[in-house]
């Protein structure tokens, strides 16, 4: 589903990704772990097409598509979703307005009919219920005054509504208490653990992986994948630290 080959990327003059290779098949969940500053978030941004993150070499295929040739909104319409490490607040725009606009923009880009207000509300309520977010919160401005856990639950509701093919979730477990962590883990499993979908989970700690069991764990250090293993690699990292493994 996603094939990254020899990816090099810079921010300004500074090379961050330095020859990264990674292949993710449909039905798989991959975790990327690594020390601070290794380039994990940069990888997510480059895949999503964030301006300022310049690809200097390499290729990324998303199914049949050459991802790096596409605009960010085209990537999203093709089924790519990026969850943020720090979800942004959007005062003055309600979650419902935001999510309906986001979904319908993607549906139009795929030549699908936009959902009516009533159809959308039904979908949004069902997703909020499934993820344990009070549906009333969807009337409030995007993330404004939300706790860390509520922001992440709201992001899972967003993912459930958008129903992407491929999700990149960046430190989606940061700042979560145990209940929120469990809810987010269950959300990822419910929405994305499917034969025709795949996930790249960027995470610092192994604890989210107790809820979302990855098929593969990769260590990213200094801009490339330096080791790949199964779920046991995450436990080894937790025990030994990155220094021992990435060196
Ligand atoms: P990680 O998510 O693995 O902690 P990042 O991808 O956020 O790492 O950062 C990798 C490196 O790139 C760091 O040295 C960071 O300071 C640098 N970097 C990332 N984004 C920017 C930016 N917008 N401007 C300058 N440097 C950046
Ligand atoms: Mg990061």
């Amino acid at each position: 589903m996603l094939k990254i080959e020899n990816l090099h990327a810079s921010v300004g003059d500074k090379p961050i990704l330095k020859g990264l290779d990674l292949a993710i098949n449909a039905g798989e969940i991959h975790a990327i772990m690594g020390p601070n500053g290794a380039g994990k978030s940069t990888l997510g941004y480059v895949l999503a097409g964030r301006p300022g993150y310049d690809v200097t070499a390499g290729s990324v295929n998303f199914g049949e598509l050459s991802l790096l040739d596409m605009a960010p909104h085209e990537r999203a319409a093709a089924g790519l979703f990026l969850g943020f490490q720090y979800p942004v607040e959007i005062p003055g725009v309600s979650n419902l307005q935001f999510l309906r606009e986001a979904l319908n923009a993607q549906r139009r880009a795929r030549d699908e009919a936009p959902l009516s207000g009533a159809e959308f509300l039904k979908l949004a309520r069902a997703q909020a219920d499934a993820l344990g977010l009070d549906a009333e919160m969807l009337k409030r401005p995007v993330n404004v005054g939300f706790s860390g856990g509520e922001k992440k639950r709201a992001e899972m509701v967003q993912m459930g509504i958008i129903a992407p093919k491929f999700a990149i979730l960046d430190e989606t477990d940061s700042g979560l208490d145990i209940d929120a962590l469990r809810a987010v883990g269950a959300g990822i499993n419910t929405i994305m653990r499917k034969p025709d979908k795949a996930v790249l989970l960027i995470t610092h700690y192994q604890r989210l992986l107790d809820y979302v069991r990855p098929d593969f764990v990769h260590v990213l250090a200094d801009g490339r994948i330096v080791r790949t293993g199964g779920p046991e690699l995450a436990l080894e990292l937790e025990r030994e630290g990155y220094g021992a493994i990435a060196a």
Side-chain angles (χ1 to χ4, degrees), residues 22 24 28-34 40 43 47 81 83 156 159 166-173 181 184-185 188-189 192-193 198-218:
L22 183 63
I24 299 180
E28 293 177 351
I29 294 184
H30 291 234
I32 287 206
M33 305 179 79
K40 302 183 299 295
L43 173 62
L47 294 177
F81 179 90
M156 290 297 109
M159 186 166 80
F166 183 77
I168 305 156
L169 301 173
D170 190 0
E171 306 278 351
T172 209
D173 50 345
L181 186 68
V184 165
I188 296 170
N189 288 327
M192 299 303 297
R193 195 29 120 187
V199 177
L200 182 60
L201 262 184
I202 298 172
T203 180
H204 238 54
Y205 300 107
Q206 110 84 26
R207 56 181 202 159
L208 179 63
L209 307 182
D210 289 335
Y211 300 99
V212 183
R213 195 171 162 79
D215 301 289
F216 297 94
V217 173
H218 310 276

Side-chain angles (χ1 to χ4, degrees), residues 8-224:
H8 290 252
S10 300
V11 180
D13 294 337
K14 189 178 169 193
I16 315 254
L17 300 182
K18 304 172 185 172
L20 190 142
D21 295 295
L22 183 63
I24 299 180
N25 296 309
E28 293 177 351
I29 294 184
H30 291 234
I32 287 206
M33 305 179 79
N36 275 321
K40 302 183 299 295
S41 294
T42 298
L43 173 62
Y45 292 145
V46 166
L47 294 177
R50 180 171 174 168
Y53 291 74
D54 301 320
V55 174
T56 52
S59 64
V60 180
N61 291 315
F62 183 42
E64 304 286 291
L65 303 168
S66 175
L67 197 71
L68 301 176
D69 297 330
M70 298 160 69
H73 68 276
E74 294 170 332
R75 302 181 196 195
L80 188 79
F81 179 90
L82 175 67
F84 287 106
Q85 182 167 3
Y86 305 107
V88 289
E89 301 185 2
I90 316 179
V93 179
S94 81
N95 274 286
L96 286 172
Q97 288 170 304
F98 171 70
L99 292 172
R100 186 175 166 204
E101 195 41 54
L103 176 64
N104 280 340
Q106 293 193 9
R107 291 180 65 94
R108 281 191 288 270
R110 293 192 295 255
D111 290 325
E112 297 166 10
L115 294 190
S116 71
E119 286 167 330
F120 176 75
L121 207 56
K122 203 170 148 199
L123 172 67
R125 287 225 172 93
Q127 290 296 334
D129 282 351
L131 291 159
L133 186 81
D134 183 354
E136 285 299 301
M137 288 194 71
L138 296 178
K139 294 180 183 160
R140 286 170 44 185
V142 177
N143 287 325
V144 177
F146 284 25
S147 71
E150 287 167 347
K151 284 181 184 173
K152 292 297 176 173
R153 281 180 210 251
E155 192 167 57
M156 290 297 109
V157 172
Q158 181 185 349
M159 186 166 80
I161 289 171
I162 299 283
K165 281 193 195 132
F166 183 77
I168 305 156
L169 301 173
D170 190 0
E171 306 278 351
T172 209
D173 50 345
S174 64
L176 296 189
D177 62 28
I178 294 295
D179 288 348
L181 186 68
R182 191 173 290 149
V184 165
I188 296 170
N189 288 327
T190 308
I191 300 163
M192 299 303 297
R193 195 29 120 187
K194 307 226 162 113
D196 56 343
K197 296 182 187 277
V199 177
L200 182 60
L201 262 184
I202 298 172
T203 180
H204 238 54
Y205 300 107
Q206 110 84 26
R207 56 181 202 159
L208 179 63
L209 307 182
D210 289 335
Y211 300 99
V212 183
R213 195 171 162 79
D215 301 289
F216 297 94
V217 173
H218 310 276
V219 181
L220 177 59
D222 195 25
R224 23 154 66 124

